[in-house]
Amino acid sequence: MSGREPLVRMVNISKSFGTVQALKNVDFDVGYQEVMGLVGDNGAGKSTLIKILTGVFPPDTGEIYFEGKKVEIHSPKEARDLGIETVYQDLALIPLMSISRNFFLGREPVVRVWPFKLMDRRKMDAVVRKVLSEIGIQVRSPEEPVAILSGGERQSVAIGRALHFGAKLLILDEPTSALSVRETHKVLNFILEAKERGLSIIFITHNIYHVYSVADRFTILEHGRKVATFGKDEVSAEDIIEIIRSGFKEGECQQ
């Protein structure tokens, strides 16, 4: 990465839950318009690190910088206000609710019909049609329930929603989990498209081959510690898999 200050920088992050040390002195950064793969086995600390970045948990120690400024993020809303959007594995979509309602959930535009404020469904539907068509999803009506969409389409709706609301950093938690080969390919292409639009992306996954095809760098966590950060030109997918399988002794490899 160049000498430019990264979009997000987390310094010396530690977090404990009772007697369990979830993270210890972790440094993590993501550059502008970069796809960062965040990988490691179960219990490595990936989810805890991201929940600290998105305001779900406060860190016990450490600092967070966003766009070069020190920030304290106390809630997911504060993270969204900064431009950090997260697409979780469960997608936070409500199957029986319409596509439009899911897209705008919590941020619905309103129209005033005195003395009431009502959801502007016409505007919502128009925006959803436009955004979905741009990402290659055709629906008969934005008023149809999300339940009619395939897993890949739901993933794309969630990513499209983040893009529409001005995300600068997009965090994807296992975005290709349980998708077909065709849908996985589509989501991976959309990640690259999001990068081309100027977004930075954190791709959290157990599938190293999926993340390797789109990521620029990889940060590996092991038992709450940072093992290393590698550029794509420094390691193969097989190297990353072997590092995760074998683990490193504390302090053996830090970059």
Side-chain angles (χ1 to χ4, degrees), residues 93 109 142:
L93 299 178

Side-chain angles (χ1 to χ4, degrees), residues 41 240-247:
D41 216 339
I240 297 172
I241 292 169
E242 184 57 32
I243 290 169
I244 293 172
R245 282 177 178 169
S246 61

Side-chain angles (χ1 to χ4, degrees), residues 98-111:
S98 73
I99 298 168
S100 285
R101 285 295 308 277
N102 271 283
F103 192 92
F104 283 94
L105 197 60
R107 292 182 275 200
E108 294 87 350
V110 297
V111 59

Side-chain angles (χ1 to χ4, degrees), residues 24 225 248-254:
K24 186 171 183 180
R225 298 175 184 269
F248 273 78
K249 295 178 182 179
E250 181 180 340
E252 184 175 356
C253 185
Q254 289 281 325

